[in-house]
Amino acid sequence: MDSKSVEDMIEASSGVHFSGFHMDALEMRNTEVGQLTASAAEEMCRQPFVIGVAGGAASGKTTVCDMIIQQLHDQRVVLVNQDSFYHDLTEEELTRVHEYNFDHPDAFDTEQLLCAMEKLRHGQAVDIPNYDFKSYKNVFPARRVNPSDVIILEGILIFHDPRIRELMNMKIFVDTDADVRLARRIRRDIVEKGRDIATVLDQYSKFVKPAFDDFILPTKKYADIIIPRGGDNHVAIDLIVQHIRTKLGQHDMCKIYPNLYVIQSTFQIRGMHTLIRDSQTTKHDFVFYADRLIRLVVEHGLGHLPFTEKQVTTPTGSVYTGVDFCKRLCGVSVIRSGESMENALRACCKGMKIGKILIHREGDNGQQLIYEKLPQDISDRHVLLLDPILGTGNSAVQAISLLISKGVPESNIIFLNLISAPQGVHVVCKRFPRIKIVTSEIETGLNEDFRVIPGMGEFGDRYFGTDDDDQPVLPPKNRDTKSSTD
Ligand SMILES: Nc1nc2c(ncn2[C@@H]2O[C@H](COP(=O)(O)OP(=O)(O)OP(=O)(O)O)[C@@H](O)[C@H]2O)c(=O)[nH]1
Ligand SMILES: O=P(O)(O)OC[C@H]1O[C@H](OP(=O)(O)OP(=O)(O)O)[C@H](O)[C@@H]1O
Ligand SMILES: O=c1cc[nH]c(=O)[nH]1
């Protein structure tokens, strides 16, 4: 694909979700990549898809949300509950708690909810209050919520305020019969909250039912989808998830850059990413889980090599028509982090030649090639370029330019990495539209220091154990066994 068509595709996608993208494409043509501003980087990250799930108390909203989350397992989904934004009760309100109306719009701190949702929509992490239903106060530490692909906002009155409604890309109302809701509420409040039946019925007739009629039911008209029978309605949930997938897909980076391949996410892969991104993870675990992910990326990358058809005879005497692996390959690792990927490549392709490139970062504005040792006949080979991090794309551009100058056709290069920032993907794909990039996750962006966010910090330091230079070296007797082996 030529660079014009890449730009056309970006233009075509410059709707709500990639709002800053086309402007950045033009900006990048005229400026050093390294000078990309932090705000441009923030702009570049796509806006999440916001779903509102409203409905009466005990209508089954939680079940609907859980089912959506379960089915969207390969997307980053975050759930925000309106319940978290209940106002703390004053001392006076606490003395007469049974007279407090928890179902009235004024019971919620809507301004705070609005502020949190705005931040999440703009790719910023937020601290969501942790309301305690026992003390009627916000006593627990806040829950940190990171920006995600999909945000689900759930609560009885989330369609009440027009400003919150306007943030939503999809509004769902869970419509469950009043008697079913009352029955569930009685069971839940007695079993889970230890209330007696008289108190539950009293609260229901005094507050819950009137509030449903006065405030919740009137918001049903704002819904795009009304789900009868809540979580029991599997057909409705399937259709909703299908629609969300279509909407997300329209803004997927892989649609803009057809040579970008993000390996299919699973909870297992997400779990490994969670570990290697956690700053508290030990070096030992970091290496273990990074290696597992690298192996997956390498296997996936090998799948993009050309193949020839091959027939074999199986022990049953039958013919199996399969394929033969591509021959003339080599790896090239970008020192030093790229060297962490060599073992996985060697484990898959025995005896493979691996060249090396050392690129030195000069401030934040450019990279300088310091050292290279490549196979003599590299121009006849398919090259698997190894570097776990694609940030600004500066290092990748240097490395790929060198390979091309050695006669490697652009289309023979597969760049394997663990995480890619959208900025780096854009820079590399725009400059080299025929190379393939295989990665395991696309990041939110870059920070002011051009480090990948959320990222995993300095990969090389964490993988090779050079990130603890400042820590005093304790005499052996004071070290615990685990850290001394790390
Ligand atoms: N008694 C009591 N009720 C509360 C308090 N805080 C919230 N509620 C009730 O909680 C209800 C809102 O939560 P629900 O919509 O039932 O919660 P949910 O579990 O997320 O929703 P579903 O999945 O649809 O059942 C309201 O009817 C409130 O009356 C509280 O501190 N005390
Ligand atoms: O896309 P960029 O913005 O150029 O960033 C990516 C580069 O940064 C990392 O190396 P680093 O400079 O941290 O060196 P190291 O591998 O020696 O730790 C990484 O391995 C890439 O080579
Ligand atoms: O975030 C980053 C950027 C470059 N290199 C890293 O190791 N991490």
Side-chain angles (χ1 to χ4, degrees):
M1 186 198 301
D2 61 29
S3 55
K4 180 163 184 310
S5 59
V6 170
E7 247 181 69
D8 288 346
M9 291 181 83
I10 296 170
E11 180 120 57
S13 77
S14 63
V16 194
H17 288 234
F18 268 114
S19 47
F21 220 89
H22 184 238
M23 184 200 76
D24 289 332
L26 298 174
E27 210 170 79
M28 268 187 238
R29 199 184 297 142
N30 302 324
T31 59
E32 280 292 314
V33 175
Q35 281 161 7
L36 196 76
T37 61
S39 62
E42 267 167 28
E43 278 286 295
M44 215 167 197
C45 74
R46 64 177 172 184
Q47 286 200 344
F49 191 83
V50 182
I51 307 167
V53 180
S59 56
K61 299 183 294 298
T62 312
T63 314
V64 167
C65 295
D66 286 348
M67 288 169 78
I68 295 175
I69 293 168
Q70 191 66 32
Q71 289 200 33
L72 286 175
H73 59 86
D74 55 342
Q75 305 285 339
R76 290 177 303 176
V77 186
V78 69
L79 179 65
V80 177
N81 289 298
Q82 189 182 26
D83 292 1
S84 308
F85 294 86
Y86 267 117
H87 282 297
D88 284 2
L89 263 56
T90 61
E91 291 309 316
E92 203 208 317
E93 285 164 340
L94 276 173
T95 56
R96 287 180 288 122
V97 73
H98 296 303
E99 289 165 35
Y100 191 84
N101 188 350
F102 289 100
D103 292 68
H104 192 278
D106 291 347
F108 299 95
D109 186 345
T110 302
E111 298 305 317
Q112 198 187 0
L113 171 61
L114 190 63
C115 175
M117 290 300 292
E118 286 284 10
K119 280 190 175 160
L120 280 174
R121 272 190 63 206
H122 290 95
Q124 294 168 32
V126 288
D127 291 323
I128 303 279
N130 216 336
Y131 179 80
D132 174 25
F133 283 79
K134 291 210 174 75
S135 63
Y136 308 100
K137 282 197 161 68
N138 188 349
V139 284
F140 299 121
R143 177 173 69 111
R144 172 57 50 127
V145 169
N146 282 320
S148 300
D149 302 321
V150 179
I151 302 171
I152 305 182
L153 175 59
E154 177 255 341
I156 50 174
L157 283 161
I158 49 152
F159 296 165
H160 183 73
D161 190 303
R163 296 168 303 166
I164 299 202
R165 282 201 306 271
E166 269 160 32
L167 301 176
M168 295 170 188
N169 301 92
M170 183 195 261
K171 295 189 265 317
I172 300 172
F173 190 92
V174 183
D175 198 12
T176 304
D177 286 346
D179 51 357
V180 176
R181 282 188 279 112
L182 175 59
R184 277 196 199 142
R185 190 174 172 110
I186 292 171
R187 192 180 314 128
R188 191 169 64 186
D189 280 6
I190 292 176
V191 175
E192 291 172 20
K193 296 186 182 161
R195 307 254 158 82
D196 59 79
I197 180 105
T199 315
V200 178
L201 290 178
D202 186 48
Q203 191 189 18
Y204 186 81
S205 57
K206 232 199 274 173
F207 300 123
V208 181
K209 185 173 161 37
F212 180 80
D213 295 336
D214 295 345
F215 303 114
I216 302 172
L217 192 57
T219 66
K220 185 170 148 182
K221 62 176 176 284
Y222 300 118
D224 304 306
I225 301 162
I226 296 165
I227 312 186
R229 307 184 312 282
D232 296 334
N233 196 330
H234 291 258
V235 175
I237 308 279
D238 284 352
L239 287 170
I240 289 166
V241 169
Q242 232 175 62
H243 178 80
I244 298 167
R245 283 195 176 284
T246 312
K247 288 287 169 195
L248 285 173
Q250 281 168 9
H251 306 286
D252 199 331
M253 287 203 80
C254 299
K255 289 257 158 65
I256 301 173
Y257 301 112
N259 288 347
L260 169 70
Y261 300 91
V262 183
I263 65 173
Q264 171 91 47
S265 184
T266 60
F267 283 132
Q268 193 67 21
I269 290 176
R270 295 272 307 284
M272 292 191 256
H273 264 285
T274 309
L275 277 155
I276 62 171
R277 285 153 184 285
D278 186 345
S279 59
Q280 301 303 310
T281 295
T282 61
K283 183 207 168 231
H284 184 269
D285 282 352
F286 182 84
V287 171
F288 182 81
Y289 291 105
D291 281 348
R292 280 183 63 188
L293 281 169
I294 287 168
R295 180 70 184 254
L296 292 173
V297 170
V298 167
E299 288 282 9
H300 192 109
L302 292 169
H304 288 282
L305 290 165
F307 58 87
T308 43
E309 198 174 274
K310 184 179 179 182
Q311 286 192 333
V312 291
T313 306
T314 70
T316 64
S318 324
V319 172
Y320 177 84
T321 305
V323 294
D324 200 5
F325 292 139
C326 171
K327 296 283 184 308
R328 306 198 49 79
L329 305 181
C330 77
V332 171
S333 62
V334 178
I335 301 171
R336 148 189 83 130
S337 297
E339 294 175 301
S340 66
M341 303 175 78
E342 292 179 4
N343 280 345
L345 189 57
R346 284 215 177 85
C348 297
C349 312
K350 247 186 290 161
M352 178 183 260
K353 291 188 179 186
I354 298 188
K356 305 230 183 209
I357 301 177
L358 175 60
I359 295 161
H360 176 61
R361 194 187 303 147
E362 291 185 316
D364 286 323
N365 291 329
Q367 321 292 99
Q368 192 196 345
L369 180 71
I370 301 284
Y371 169 84
E372 43 123 330
K373 191 79 187 164
L374 303 170
Q376 293 284 334
D377 55 354
I378 193 164
S379 60
D380 299 333
R381 293 176 181 272
H382 284 267
V383 178
L384 294 144
L385 179 63
L386 311 175
D387 194 337
I389 314 277
L390 173 58
T392 61
N394 280 330
S395 312
V397 166
Q398 277 280 342
I400 297 163
S401 302
L402 174 73
L403 297 176
I404 291 173
S405 76
K406 298 284 177 190
V408 181
E410 199 178 299
S411 54
N412 280 9
I413 303 170
I414 303 179
F415 179 32
L416 306 182
N417 64 62
L418 267 189
I419 57 169
S420 298
Q423 290 89 335
V425 172
H426 175 70
V427 167
V428 172
C429 290
K430 188 163 168 58
R431 181 102 175 246
F432 308 107
R434 279 178 294 278
I435 86 151
K436 293 189 175 76
I437 300 180
V438 176
T439 190
S440 64
E441 278 193 357
I442 301 287
E443 299 293 289
T444 309
L446 301 174
N447 66 12
E448 319 65 57
D449 301 320
F450 305 98
R451 318 319 289 161
V452 181
I453 47 170
M456 55 184 87
E458 293 301 310
F459 182 92
D461 285 337
R462 293 187 73 189
Y463 192 93
F464 295 110
T466 47
D467 57 348
D468 51 2
D469 291 353
D470 297 332
Q471 289 173 13
V473 179
L474 299 172
K477 68 179 165 62
N478 289 343
R479 292 188 193 152
D480 66 30
T481 331
K482 190 161 195 318
S483 57
S484 67
T485 57
D486 285 345

